[in-house]
Amino acid sequence: MDSVVATLGTEPQVVTIALDALLRRGYPISEVAVIHTRPSALGDALRRLRDEEQHYARRTPPVRFRYVPVREGRHYPTDIVSEQDAALLLRVLYREVASQKRAKRRVHLCIAGGRKVMAAYGMAVAQLLLDEKDCVWHLLSPPELLRTRQMHADGAVLVPVPVLRWSLLPSTLSELLVWDDPYRAIQRQQQVSEGLRRRLLQDFWRELTPAEQRVLVALVRGGGSNEELAQALGRSPKTVANQLQSIYEKYRAWTGLPEGRRVRERLIADLLPHLDALSKDAQIALGTATHADDQAPV
């Protein structure tokens, strides 16, 4: 079954109109988890939502509403106005979505309700936890629909929001679901992502000849023109130019960059944080020629 996780502000109709649109699309939704701040700040929004519960309970299958306060101990903000409030919001959103994912439910994250910060932190959680089966939705509502405050109405458009999902990295989602703290999950994701990046760079590095590796070390560490690199390496400018061209072609193939795009600056930025480890692994000594094509300048 599917679950909706929806943020709530003072306009509860964004929740019901989005839910109606999802049901019309045939999604088998059985639960709506409503993320909300202290009720006193929401006017009659919670009451109006609760008044709609019987309408959805009569459906087949019925849809159950569950209310998830942005609360931790005595910290129960009326609005998200501080860094502490925002951190609490992130933890509540993360734990709710993680709970749904552990239960093997498809998640529809609706971020139209409440403050913009709710949408922003909702997207952060989506990047961490949602996979290709889950969806993030936003509701485009004409001004007159908001003025009428109808809980069920036509005229609004539910649109999917594209998400760059970190959870699609190998093994990441199962690891992230171990944590209840989103900040620890983010730290772990960064470690996994960095490890994957290093392995990919090692694959690219191994595609280079030893002579190309030495040219690349000189380029990344010192920069300079082809002539300056040639002088530092004791090679001819033509040899260095040919080797750089070969490096760039291999880098384009590795990254998927189209022909005609300049790669020099991006290549340097990619390699610089990892160059010491790569060159140490390959036992590259700048200025030491050990390969046949490092001999007399061409």
Side-chain angles (χ1 to χ4, degrees):
M1 299 296 285
D2 292 16
S3 293
V4 172
V5 177
T7 54
L8 177 66
T10 58
E11 303 293 341
Q13 66 270 24
V14 299
V15 176
T16 52
I17 292 173
L19 176 58
D20 291 345
L22 291 171
L23 291 169
R24 284 196 298 270
R25 295 186 185 199
Y27 289 111
I29 293 166
S30 62
E31 181 183 73
V32 179
V34 180
I35 310 295
H36 65 88
T37 53
R38 188 184 289 269
S40 59
L42 299 177
D44 62 351
L46 282 173
R47 178 191 60 77
R48 292 177 64 204
L49 266 186
R50 290 192 172 102
D51 288 345
E52 295 295 322
E53 290 181 13
Q54 287 302 314
H55 169 77
Y56 293 102
R58 291 192 293 268
R59 292 185 55 88
T60 304
V63 179
R64 180 175 71 96
F65 279 68
R66 185 165 51 83
Y67 300 90
V68 182
V70 179
R71 182 177 186 175
E72 209 169 59
R74 299 179 66 180
H75 185 197
Y76 195 2
T78 56
D79 199 357
I80 308 300
V81 295
S82 69
E83 185 175 349
Q84 183 184 15
D85 296 339
L88 173 58
L89 170 65
L90 178 60
R91 289 194 295 272
V92 170
L93 278 166
Y94 181 90
R95 290 167 185 166
E96 177 58 35
V97 173
S99 174
Q100 299 286 352
K101 295 300 296 178
R102 292 188 193 108
K104 309 298 184 184
R105 300 176 70 90
R106 177 165 53 186
V107 174
H108 300 269
L109 181 59
C110 295
I111 57 173
R115 294 281 195 181
K116 291 180 180 178
V117 67
M118 287 186 157
Y121 278 73
M123 288 299 295
V125 170
Q127 288 181 307
L128 280 169
L129 294 177
L130 299 192
D131 60 34
E132 67 275 9
K133 298 186 296 294
D134 304 309
C135 301
V136 179
W137 303 97
H138 191 64
L139 193 68
L140 305 178
S141 306
E144 57 271 17
L145 184 60
L146 292 178
R147 285 195 296 269
T148 63
R149 305 194 75 196
Q150 297 179 61
M151 297 296 283
H152 307 276
D154 297 325
V157 179
L158 192 66
V159 294
V161 181
V163 180
L164 180 62
R165 293 169 168 87
W166 293 347
S167 62
L168 297 185
L169 291 172
S171 303
T172 302
L173 182 56
S174 59
E175 293 191 30
L176 293 180
L177 288 177
V178 171
W179 307 106
D180 281 330
D181 183 345
Y183 293 99
R184 294 189 69 180
I186 290 170
Q187 183 182 43
R188 177 56 183 156
Q189 185 280 332
Q190 290 170 338
Q191 292 170 346
V192 171
S193 180
E194 183 64 19
L196 178 61
R197 185 70 176 171
R198 281 196 301 269
R199 290 193 294 274
L200 291 173
L201 283 170
Q202 287 167 351
D203 291 342
F204 163 68
W205 183 262
R206 285 192 287 266
E207 290 293 315
L208 305 178
T209 68
E212 290 169 348
Q213 290 173 354
R214 280 184 283 277
V215 171
L216 188 52
V217 168
L219 173 66
V220 174
R221 285 183 177 165
S225 65
N226 289 4
E227 290 75 14
E228 290 168 331
L229 289 173
Q231 184 176 8
L233 292 166
R235 305 177 187 177
S236 74
K238 182 179 179 181
T239 296
V240 169
N242 289 338
Q243 289 170 335
L244 284 173
Q245 183 61 33
S246 175
I247 291 169
Y248 296 156
E249 289 174 358
K250 292 175 181 178
Y251 182 75
R252 282 196 184 94
W254 177 70
T255 59
L257 285 176
E259 290 291 334
R261 295 291 298 273
R262 293 180 60 85
V263 300
R264 187 182 183 106
E265 293 79 9
R266 178 168 173 176
L267 176 60
I268 292 172
D270 261 348
L271 267 290
L272 186 59
H274 307 282
L275 187 64
D276 287 342
L278 291 171
S279 58
K280 181 179 179 181
D281 290 344
Q283 296 183 336
I284 296 296
L286 184 58
T288 301
T290 60
H291 197 263
D293 57 1
D294 279 341
Q295 303 306 314
V298 177

